[in-house]
Amino acid sequence: MIAPRGGARSGNPSTVPSRGSGPHEAAHRRAAATPRSDASPYLDRRPPVAALAPTVLVAVLGFTMAGLLWVRQANSVADTGRAIAHLLERREALLMQRAAARVALAQATDPGGLADRARGLGFVPVEEAAVEVVVVTAAAAPAGSAALAEPGRRSPLELIVPPSDVPTADADEPPLSAIPLSFWQALEPSP
Amino acid sequence: MRGRVDYPRLPWLGLALFGAMALVAGRVVWLSARPASAAGAAWEPSTEVLPQRGAMWDRRGRLVATESYDRYEVILEKAKLPDPAGFLAAASPHLGARADFVRQQLDDPMVKWVTVFSYAQREAADAVKALAPAEAVFVRPLASRHYALGEAAGHLTGFVDANGNGEYGIEAAYNAQLIGVKGHTPGPFGTDPRAFVPPREGTDLVLTIDRDLQLAVWRILAAHIGTQDATGGTVIVLEPSTGDVLASVSYPAYDPNNFAAADVNRYIDPAVGAYYPPGSVLKPLSLAAAIDGGILSPNSTYDDTATVFYQGVTIPNQDYTAHGAATMWQMLQLSLNVGAVHVADTLGSARFYRALDAFGLGRPTGIDVAGEAPGMIVQPGAEGWVGSNFAYNAFGQGLDVTPLQMAAAMATIANDGVRMTPRVVRQLRADGAPPQDVAPIPVAQVISAATARTMRTMLESVVAETATGAEMAHHTSGGKTGTSELFDSDGDGEDDLIASFCGFFPVAKPRAVILVKLDRPVGERGSRVAAPIFAEVAEVVAGVLGVAGDKMGDDEQ
């Protein structure tokens, strides 16, 4: 039988040794040191419920806190992981879009493609006979009027060429056809 | 009897714990089982995150090569395919030779997934996709390489093989930078940020070439190959002050966009990987060494006797004519072999070969493309050396160089005697890092600036007097022709000729060095065949670089 906790304070004279009673105290000590044969020594050592409850509560709270932390951590990890996975998908899609845009741009600026498009629009390679060279002399220009207009606002026809700088016809001057007038000639060498 | 102890809140605690555990378990299941996207796309089984290969841009920022995603992998899930036989019958026209493989895979009960296409074009992928239920077919775009210039720059760029590795040219030389660094994810069902390693995209390259110039030069060369009935040819345009390769084309070429269809022998870039005897183009180099050493001067004379007997062989002038007391000017203008032997003999074999070495002949130039060959110059005392080698070498026969070596040597004269390492990449643009310029690399001051200027003047006189086909409309130009012999290289019983011209413009401060080489042309001599191509290319280069004319008093901009 389990002795109720606090029994020592019940005032039972048979169980409370009196101070100074030498033979009774020695007998009680012997009785306490000798385990009773009808009770488990483990059950005997279990603390009373009132002492167990706070421990259980702390343990439960501790586990709950740890669990919540773990859940929060796992949530965070999972959310970040999913965000990374989505960003990787997004990255792949953007890389593909960028590559497609680059290819399209390269094809759009390809000289051969541009030539074809220009031809389709009715443009043709410039011919030497179609080029008219206009030389504007400074015969009527006042002195010091080289800068007639602000830089950047000057049209080609406002260009004043001093008479001394007007090129003269030179028999050794190469024909205009020897000078590539545009990439048309470079891309389409004349037969 | 023992007393019973009650724990009235214990069931509630247990319930709360169970609920929390259920929430956790549910969350885990939800995270694990939910597909990656709302569209229900399958997760990638791979744990690697592949970087995108770097692009190539020309010197003005126009695309040369980039990744493209116009090839597709098509996979079928057999369990979700209701009528495999019907699918196969309908898809066979699109499958072509792969139909048998797909039939075999569909019939095999052990196979759950069938790769219908591993590298298909969009039309075929779309056609097959339309024949199967949407949930049974997966189409995944694959990275492939797009080369904007196609065969016009195939030798220079190289290509990327099926494993994603660069082969030949720039792709191989800069494979480590272009390919980037793979990233890693922990598994197929999610990405744990703690184990995630992001990929580092491949580094973009800014090349030294000009895309328009490359294309224009390619078309010029191809046109002349046709009119001259030549078997091949090379044109290299170098910027002498930096060693930049502005254009480099060779014919026959291959299209790197479809490299698998090309003859593998065409993969090697003849501009850097093929040998040829330079012929008379070599003569300015030995003369420059002699003038620089004070051994000869431009006005030094020798007795030109039409032929010279040297170490058991007779070397004739190409015109078989004796020119009497000829100056070095005449030796270059008329390309006199007897004079070239005189120059080399005066210089001495040790200094002659040291000069060739200093100009970079017989060794790799160090250009940053893969597959560069060193050339072959047999030095005195080496195995196979005979005394007559020296006489032949004096006018560019009996030794082999690459076209780039010859162009770089001429660029040394154009660059006031400073030899630069040729390069094709001028800037690296790594992912997330500031652009990194690739500095020009000077190799050595081979000859003095004064000697270089003298040589340029002498070479200008060559164009003015004999190689008139190389004259430009508004720019001064100089250079040297070369006609070298290949001893029956094609096995038709006759020796073959290589016509070449290597020159520069403008003479005072050259902006470009251009080498033109035609293999086995009908017109034979370099002055008649290659010099006009030089002029044609040079005019385009002048336009692209904006080089103002320096003839007739024109000032350079």
Side-chain angles (χ1 to χ4, degrees), chain B residues 99-431:
Chain B
D100 288 339
F101 170 78
V102 175
R103 179 183 294 109
Q104 184 185 10
Q105 295 286 296
L106 287 173
D107 293 341
D108 188 345
M110 301 298 292
V111 175
K112 295 182 177 178
W113 300 81
V114 179
T115 303
V116 180
F117 288 122
S118 57
Y119 200 70
Q121 294 193 349
R122 186 184 185 97
E123 294 76 17
D126 285 346
V128 170
K129 184 182 179 183
L131 297 174
E135 65 273 14
V137 62
F138 298 90
V139 178
R140 187 174 68 140
L142 300 173
S144 59
R145 202 72 165 152
H146 172 81
Y147 297 93
L149 286 166
E151 63 179 350
H155 284 129
L156 199 59
T157 59
F159 58 88
V160 177
D161 65 16
N163 297 320
N165 292 315
E167 301 284 353
Y168 299 91
I170 301 169
E171 293 280 17
Y174 284 90
N175 189 54
Q177 289 84 3
L178 286 166
I179 203 168
V181 180
K182 291 178 182 175
H184 293 281
T185 57
F189 291 112
T191 301
D192 185 345
R194 293 167 297 185
F196 173 66
V197 178
R200 197 172 72 210
E201 310 295 352
T203 299
D204 283 7
L205 305 179
V206 179
L207 307 183
T208 59
I209 67 168
D210 183 284
R211 198 181 77 176
D212 290 346
L213 180 62
Q214 179 82 14
L215 187 61
V217 173
W218 161 254
R219 294 188 178 187
I220 290 171
L221 176 64
H224 283 278
I225 291 277
T227 55
Q228 299 294 335
D229 199 20
T231 60
T234 296
V235 175
I236 299 173
V237 183
L238 284 181
E239 188 176 61
S241 61
T242 59
D244 285 1
V245 176
L246 300 176
S248 176
V249 301
S250 291
Y251 189 95
Y254 70 97
D255 186 353
N257 293 303
N258 191 20
F259 65 89
D263 182 355
V264 294
N265 293 320
R266 293 189 179 183
Y267 291 165
I268 298 173
D269 184 0
V272 300
Y275 297 156
Y276 80 108
S280 298
V281 179
L282 189 86
K283 290 171 182 171
L285 306 186
S286 55
L287 180 58
I291 292 175
D292 197 60
I295 299 168
L296 292 172
S297 75
N299 296 319
S300 298
T301 59
Y302 71 100
D303 185 20
D304 191 283
T305 54
T307 62
V308 59
F309 188 75
Y310 191 94
Q311 294 280 327
V313 294
T314 300
I315 306 295
N317 283 331
Q318 52 94 6
D319 58 1
Y320 297 98
T321 302
H323 294 272
T327 65
M328 295 299 111
W329 296 85
Q330 291 170 300
M331 188 277 287
L332 279 185
Q333 292 165 4
L334 301 174
S335 197
L336 301 175
N337 292 340
V338 173
V341 173
H342 167 75
V343 170
D345 195 37
T346 306
L347 196 59
S349 66
R351 280 182 290 198
F352 173 78
Y353 288 107
R354 207 160 55 232
L356 297 189
D357 183 65
F359 276 108
L361 303 187
R363 63 169 62 196
T365 63
I367 188 173
D368 45 351
V369 297
E372 184 180 20
M376 191 169 63
I377 298 177
V378 181
Q379 301 280 342
E383 185 180 358
W385 164 264
V386 293
S388 59
N389 276 21
F390 182 48
Y392 285 119
N393 291 170
F395 57 97
Q397 286 290 148
L399 51 82
D400 290 318
V401 301
T402 65
L404 182 68
Q405 285 175 4
M406 201 61 244
M410 187 62 80
T412 303
I413 293 175
N415 192 36
D416 285 347
V418 178
R419 179 156 71 93
M420 304 295 294
T421 301
R423 62 173 186 169
V424 294
V425 173
R426 62 188 308 189
Q427 192 180 70
L428 304 174
R429 294 180 177 172
D431 184 27

Side-chain angles (χ1 to χ4, degrees), chain A residues 1-2 40 43 46 49 52-53 56-57 60-61 63-64 67-68 70-71 73-82 84-86 88-89 91-92 94-100 102-115 170 172-176 178-180 183 185-190, chain B residues 1-3 5-7 10 13 17 20 24 27-28 30-31 34-38 41 43-44 49-55 57 60 62-63 65-69 140-142 146 148-149 185 190-194 196 199 201 204 210-213 215-216 219-220 223 472-474 536 539-540 544 552:
Chain A
M1 184 177 172
I2 301 172
S40 166
L43 290 177
R46 204 180 74 168
V49 171
L52 188 63
V56 171
L57 188 62
V60 167
L61 283 175
F63 280 118
T64 304
L68 286 174
W70 180 84
V71 168
Q73 178 79 356
N75 256 327
S76 172
V77 166
D79 284 342
T80 310
R82 288 190 62 77
I84 289 175
H86 282 299
L88 285 175
E89 283 184 357
R91 162 190 170 272
E92 190 170 356
L94 287 173
L95 287 178
M96 289 181 185
Q97 287 178 19
R98 186 178 71 170
R102 282 177 172 177
V103 172
L105 185 63
Q107 290 170 344
T109 58
D110 173 61
L114 288 174
D170 188 346
D172 296 332
E173 188 174 350
L176 195 59
I179 308 170
F183 263 112
Q185 292 184 336
L187 297 174
E188 299 177 346
S190 53
Chain B
M1 184 179 173
R2 289 187 295 177
V5 179
D6 291 330
Y7 296 99
L10 196 59
L13 184 63
L17 287 174
V24 172
R27 175 72 170 167
V28 169
W30 182 79
L31 288 174
R34 189 168 177 262
S37 67
W43 281 94
E44 295 286 341
V49 183
L50 297 177
Q52 191 179 55
R53 192 175 179 86
W57 308 89
R60 290 198 279 174
R62 290 158 314 177
L63 187 75
T66 185
E67 289 295 87
S68 174
Y69 294 88
R140 187 174 68 140
L142 300 173
H146 172 81
L149 286 166
T185 57
T191 301
D192 185 345
R194 293 167 297 185
F196 173 66
E201 310 295 352
D204 283 7
D210 183 284
R211 198 181 77 176
D212 290 346
L213 180 62
L215 187 61
R219 294 188 178 187
I220 290 171
M472 297 174 66
H474 288 294
E536 199 171 336
E539 296 288 4
V540 178
V544 169
M552 297 179 293

